[in-house]
Amino acid sequence: AQKVTQAQTEISVVEKEDVTLDCVYETRDTTYYLFWYKQPPSGELVFLIRRNSFDEQNEISGRYSWNFQKSTSSFNFTITASQVVDSAVYFCALSEARDNFNKFYFGSGTKLNVKP
Amino acid sequence: DAMVIQNPRYQVTQFGKPVTLSCSQTLNHNVMYWYQQKSSQAPKLLFHYYDKDFNNEADTPDNFQSRRPNTSFCFLDIRSPGLGDAAMYLCATSRGTSGSDEQFFGPGTRLTVL
C-alpha cells in the first residue's frame, strides 16, 4: 500500500494565484516525520519543511504555509501569490521512527506549472 | 558552501558497458544514499551507507553496487547497464538515521544508455 499519496499529478495556475498541494499519508506509528521537497527542472531536491507527528501547529514561511491534520492524515502545502519561480515538482515524504534508519517514503509528486 | 556534489551531471554509456557515478559531500554526514529516479516518478532508494555499513534495499538489482572509501565520497557502479537503467541518479546525505534527519540531495546525474 502506498504510504504517501499525492493525488494531484499536475497543477497549472496563473501567477499570483494561490495553490494548495495535497499530501495524504498512512502509518501505524505514533512517532513519524513528514517532509516537503521541491525539485526544480535542474533536478536537485530542495528541503522545504519537516514536521513531527506531535506538532500539529501550522507553519508559515513567507508565501509558503503548511497545514498538518492528524485527524485526516494530511499534510497540505499552500503557496500564496504564486510566482513563475515556484514551477517545479513537489514531493511529500514520510519517515517512520521505528525504521532503523530514516527511510523516506516519497509520494509520486505534484508538478506545479505557474504561468506568467 | 557545504553541499552534496555529483559528477558528472550527464553521463552517456553503452548497453552493457560498466559505468561509475560519483558523489561527494562537505557536510561531514554519516549517512549517504543513492536513489534512482525515472521520469515523472518518485525517487527510489537503492541503498545507503551508515558510515561504512552498507545497507541494500531488497529490490535493488545485483547490477547495482556501491563503494564508500571514506566519509566524503560514495560511488555507484552499474556493472552492465541496460536500457531500463536510464534514469536520474540522486545522491543524498543525512547527519544520522533518526527519522527526523532531513536528507540533503545533490543535483543528480542523468544517465543515458545507448
Side-chain angles (χ1 to χ4, degrees):
Chain A
Q2 191 102 357
K3 284 186 177 279
V4 178
T5 301
Q6 294 180 255
Q8 303 148 309
T9 305
E10 188 166 353
I11 301 174
S12 292
V13 298
V14 177
E15 208 170 19
K16 297 185 184 177
E17 285 184 6
D18 299 347
V19 58
T20 295
L21 309 182
D22 297 334
C23 173
V24 174
Y25 62 92
E26 180 183 334
T27 180
R28 295 179 184 173
D29 285 12
T30 55
T31 302
Y32 54 89
Y33 301 86
L34 295 163
F35 300 80
W36 275 96
Y37 280 82
K38 174 182 180 180
Q39 188 175 39
S42 58
E44 179 176 352
L45 274 83
V46 178
F47 167 76
L48 296 177
I49 190 171
R50 171 187 56 236
R51 174 64 75 225
N52 75 57
S53 52
F54 298 108
D55 183 2
E56 282 195 77
Q57 273 197 329
N58 292 329
E59 181 153 341
I60 298 174
S61 176
R63 296 185 295 107
Y64 295 171
S65 61
W66 291 269
N67 182 3
F68 176 30
Q69 295 205 345
K70 288 177 77 170
S71 60
T72 56
S73 296
S74 65
F75 186 42
N76 296 337
F77 173 30
T78 297
I79 302 174
T80 303
S82 60
Q83 299 176 2
V84 173
V85 293
D86 296 327
S87 296
V89 181
Y90 291 86
F91 289 96
C92 180
L94 165 72
S95 175
E96 295 170 323
R98 63 182 168 90
D99 286 334
N100 60 3
F101 78 100
N102 58 330
K103 179 174 181 176
F104 277 24
Y105 298 93
F106 283 96
S108 54
T110 297
K111 185 177 183 181
L112 175 64
N113 301 305
V114 181
K115 301 174 183 176
Chain B
D1 286 342
M3 57 176 57
V4 181
I5 303 159
Q6 290 188 246
N7 286 307
R9 294 293 310 276
Y10 300 90
Q11 177 74 56
V12 180
T13 191
Q14 292 181 335
F15 183 95
K17 185 175 180 181
V19 66
T20 295
L21 309 182
S22 72
C23 176
S24 63
Q25 54 129 342
T26 59
L27 296 158
N28 204 32
H29 281 172
N30 293 312
V31 192
M32 295 187 77
Y33 309 80
W34 278 104
Y35 288 87
Q36 179 192 65
Q37 186 181 24
K38 295 190 175 179
S39 183
S40 303
Q41 296 185 19
K44 177 182 182 295
L45 182 65
L46 296 174
F47 26 60
H48 78 279
Y49 275 94
Y50 186 98
D51 198 9
K52 288 193 176 293
D53 292 334
F54 176 71
N55 297 270
N56 204 28
E57 289 297 292
D59 57 354
T60 298
D62 293 340
N63 196 27
F64 292 88
Q65 304 284 319
S66 185
R67 296 170 283 135
R68 189 179 185 186
N70 54 52
T71 300
S72 301
F73 285 86
C74 194
F75 300 97
L76 170 61
D77 300 309
I78 307 177
R79 293 193 295 187
S80 181
L83 297 178
D85 297 327
M88 174 78 89
Y89 289 88
L90 296 165
C91 175
T93 73
S94 66
R95 185 177 49 192
T97 56
S98 161
S100 65
D101 287 324
E102 70 258 35
Q103 295 183 15
F104 295 82
F105 285 82
T109 294
R110 185 167 296 282
L111 178 68
T112 300
V113 181
L114 301 177

